[in-house]
Amino acid sequence: MSNTRQLQRLDREHHFHPFTDQGDLNKRGTRIISKADGVYLWDNEGNKILDGMAGLWCVAVGYGRKELADAAHQQMMELPYYNSFFQCTTPPAIKLAEKLADLAPSHLNNVFFTGSGSESNDTVLRLVRHFWSVQGQPERSLIISRKNAYHGSTVAGASLGGMTYMHRQGNLPIPGIEHIDQPYWFEEGGDLTKEEFGKQRAQQLEEKIIEVGAEKVAAFIAEPIQGAGGVIIPPDSYWPEIRRICKKYDILLVADEVICGFGRTGNWFGSQTFEIEPDFMSVAKALSSGYLPIGAVIVSDRVAKVLKELGGEINHGYTYSGHPAAAAVAIKNLEIIEQEKLVEKVAHDTGPYLQSRWRELASHPLVGEVRGLGLIGALELVADKKARTRISKGGKAGSLCRDFCTANGLVMRATGDTMLISPPLVINTSEIDELIGKAKKSLDDTLHAISDGVLEA
Ligand code: PXG
């Protein structure tokens, strides 16, 4: 389309992009996505692309859902905005809180609304510290997290997260947060079995608690499966050990469900898949399938009781906490997930189908490990399958493969040399076949390019 260059020029002149090297972007020009339907995107040049990432892990019910647009339209005409501060609220915020209490594990029944996953984790940080403080233990304020975790990009979110490249900008992390190692067997497991390694990594939590003193530790936060860090699925031994340790030392357990929540792993929440029993769950993304920004923190009865009885005024909140239009869209989105039985489908139909086809890629010469669960998956690109050695430093093979995916009409994400997928929950089996075909072709193209010496330049 003729206006692409003009849009790119305006973008270059005025738009700072998130997580993007602006200089590099300007050299190559932005890819402008103009429309979408179902699991497909179209760029401004009219190229059709299968969205293997559901936007950014969020568009669960797929694109082009008129029901969601209608829900937003209706609510905006009725009441586009009112706040939840100062003894007020709105019907959609109330109904969505009730719905989330109903869907969440039975001991989680109270909801604090936010505008995003980052804001949810900022809220968690404030609430866990307040929880201990009002019980006379203000020194219990340390939060333990993990290296290579992703908990958002606000100051608290990035500090809770364990991305060192984020910490390097802006003097992060803030004090009062400690990071232990992650349960990433493929990169860090060495000769240990997965189960030995999982247990060892979980026991680092206990070691850290003893090192700093249990009386100083407020909470442990983790994603059931690390998403942005590379779809890291912990060995089966990991979560039971984490649970045991949190119980033993009475440490609050926070499950960051921003990616796993609302069906991705074949249950409503990753906490159910891994039997986590959290005190807090942070959610966002698929809560509204990304149609409008909204997030939430879902709080356990134990925590809610303390906050209600002793907490006094909670001096925290956002203008858009419980935004009525976003809440109305979220309610309709959850209804669609229920009516179309998307969680059941991920558990029993499309999930197992994707996983069996995804595992076919294990025989490709570049692939050192294939893993996945439900509708989430990862491939490790390697030079040597057995030794688990990488092709080159700096994730160059991953970037190369991602670019081939784009050229072949598939959005697949690269984290270093780990390729990731997380398609919309509405994807059907023939679209899964298409995804696998395009992924395989992109792996072949990557292999040929590497054989031709592209990475040596
Ligand atoms: N927690 C988790 C587990 C996330 O994945 C956030 C919190 C923050 O949510 P907001 O709505 O504030 O962005 C996220 C977000 C990537 C990528 O490249 C992943 C996220 C965001 C941006 C990029 O995979 N996850």
Side-chain angles (χ1 to χ4, degrees), residues 61 65 146 216 223 311 325 351 443:
V61 299
R65 303 297 302 235
R146 305 182 299 180
K216 295 215 173 74
E223 304 149 80
L443 287 168

Side-chain angles (χ1 to χ4, degrees), residues 19 53 56-57 115-119 121 150-153 223 225 227-229 256-259 284-285 413 415 420:
F19 284 98
M53 283 307 297
L56 260 182
W57 321 80
S116 68
S118 299
E119 288 182 9
N121 288 326
Y150 191 83
H151 296 302
S153 197
E223 304 149 80
I225 294 174
D256 184 339
E257 294 268 3
V258 169
I259 282 178
K285 293 194 189 272
R413 173 109 158 57
T415 289
L420 314 178

Side-chain angles (χ1 to χ4, degrees), residues 39-40 50 350 353 357 427-437:
V39 299
Y40 294 101
L50 174 56
T350 48
Y353 186 72
R357 297 244 37 216
I427 194 168
N428 63 33
T429 49
S430 69
E431 290 158 346
I432 290 172
D433 290 340
E434 181 185 337
L435 186 156
I436 300 293

Side-chain angles (χ1 to χ4, degrees), residues 154-170:
T154 49
V155 169
S159 296
L160 290 168
M163 303 290 183
T164 46
Y165 63 91
M166 290 173 77
H167 294 167
R168 277 199 287 274
Q169 295 174 349

Side-chain angles (χ1 to χ4, degrees), residues 177-204:
I177 297 169
E178 293 274 339
H179 297 86
I180 59 172
D181 287 323
Q182 56 179 335
Y184 187 10
W185 177 83
F186 186 83
E187 273 281 352
E188 301 173 4
D191 295 331
L192 295 178
T193 66
K194 289 185 180 168
E195 297 319 310
E196 286 166 350
F197 175 73
K199 196 155 182 184
Q200 209 177 76
R201 284 291 154 102
Q203 283 167 351
Q204 276 197 15

Side-chain angles (χ1 to χ4, degrees), residues 208-223:
K208 182 56 82 180
I209 291 169
I210 291 166
E211 178 195 320
V212 298
E215 71 289 353
K216 295 215 173 74
V217 182
F220 173 67
I221 182 169
E223 304 149 80

